[in-house]
Amino acid sequence: AQKITQTQPGMFVQEKEAVTLDCTYDTSDPSYGLFWYKQPSSGEMIFLIYQGSYDQQNATEGRYSLNFQKARKSANLVISASQLGDSAMYFCAMREPKVMGNMLTFGGGTRLMVKP
Amino acid sequence: DAGITQSPRHKVTETGTPVTLRCHQTENHRYMYWYRQDPGHGLRLIHYSYGVKDTDKGEVSDGYSVSRSKTEDFLLTLESATSSQTSVYFCAISESGGPYEQYFGPGTRLTVT
């Protein structure tokens, strides 16, 4: 079974509008971390936001927020006021402390395209 | 930005030749990782290290070996490169073993002809 599922291979959003990128995860470990990374066309992996499984509040970092619904095992990324520079691949990832040196397990990614 | 460099950034090599990729960090982080990124597969873990001379296999370790003789350096070796190892290789570092973020290097694009 997939541990991280991103069901939207590609999405368009109009500049200045908000967009939600979906991510669902599967784990039986009560302690885990959820991450979002951005990969622009230049190829680097940029860390955006982190949510711990015990965190009571949704994480926010500037225009990025993580809509964490633990019971539904969902960790959607919300980007407010989209900018042209937000066009990129976005990866959701999970880290479980007891799995292979705390490796990150990645979803397949969502390509976001921001229209002017 | 986390101080992580990878060398080389691009390499083309022939099938059957050995190849070594280097990851260097200036953050003194304990954990280091090698991932590969392929279309349709996202990023997958090859090997990781949890300290000097302490390494272990990841999900896709066949055909790869690693070494870590110093905290700051983590080497990935393809003993005899194959075309299936054409990929983009990312090094990542993490400060601790808990559910904390990993920071990635810029990547190495390897082509095996």
Side-chain angles (χ1 to χ4, degrees):
Chain A
Q2 292 281 347
K3 284 208 166 188
I4 297 287
T5 302
Q6 296 180 251
T7 57
Q8 308 151 311
M11 289 187 68
F12 284 96
V13 64
Q14 198 68 40
E15 191 178 10
K16 300 181 184 176
E17 291 185 350
V19 63
T20 298
L21 306 183
D22 294 340
C23 174
T24 57
Y25 61 92
D26 183 29
T27 181
S28 57
D29 197 320
S31 175
Y32 53 89
L34 296 160
F35 305 81
W36 279 91
Y37 286 84
K38 173 184 179 181
Q39 187 176 42
S41 58
S42 51
E44 69 268 32
M45 294 289 289
I46 302 168
F47 166 70
L48 292 178
I49 196 167
Y50 162 78
Q51 179 84 44
S53 58
Y54 295 118
D55 293 343
Q56 295 296 314
Q57 293 190 328
N58 287 341
T60 61
E61 288 286 348
R63 294 187 298 111
Y64 305 107
S65 60
L66 200 152
N67 184 0
F68 182 45
Q69 298 187 44
K70 195 169 183 177
R72 297 181 60 186
K73 294 189 173 179
S74 152
N76 298 338
L77 177 71
V78 180
I79 305 175
S80 63
S82 297
Q83 301 172 357
L84 296 178
D86 294 334
S87 294
M89 283 290 289
Y90 289 81
F91 291 95
C92 179
M94 177 172 64
R95 190 175 185 186
E96 301 162 280
K98 297 180 186 135
V99 174
M100 280 186 187
N102 309 290
M103 61 172 275
L104 286 175
T105 301
F106 284 84
T110 295
R111 182 173 297 281
L112 178 67
M113 290 152 282
V114 181
K115 296 186 290 185
Chain B
D1 292 342
I4 313 168
T5 57
Q6 292 184 232
S7 58
R9 294 292 314 279
H10 302 271
K11 185 170 183 68
V12 179
T13 192
E14 292 184 349
T15 298
T17 59
V19 176
T20 296
L21 308 183
R22 180 183 185 233
C23 176
H24 178 77
Q25 59 145 329
T26 58
E27 305 296 322
N28 202 36
H29 284 359
R30 179 183 173 195
Y31 283 79
M32 298 185 77
Y33 306 82
W34 278 107
Y35 292 87
R36 61 178 287 175
Q37 184 178 26
D38 304 293
H41 288 281
L43 280 82
R44 293 178 293 172
L45 181 69
I46 305 171
H47 280 279
Y48 65 96
S49 169
Y50 46 97
V52 173
K53 296 186 181 177
D54 291 324
T55 65
D56 209 341
K57 295 179 179 180
E59 302 172 286
V60 289
S61 60
D62 287 349
Y64 301 95
S65 62
V66 290
S67 66
R68 191 169 177 197
S69 59
K70 297 185 289 186
T71 299
E72 57 266 34
D73 289 325
F74 192 32
L75 303 181
L76 176 71
T77 297
L78 291 65
E79 302 290 347
S80 177
T82 67
S83 58
S84 65
Q85 293 176 311
T86 293
S87 187
V88 179
Y89 292 85
F90 285 97
C91 173
I93 65 173
S94 179
E95 187 171 9
S96 80
Y100 302 114
E101 60 266 29
Q102 292 181 14
Y103 293 97
F104 284 79
T108 293
R109 183 172 294 276
L110 176 68
T111 302
V112 183
T113 61

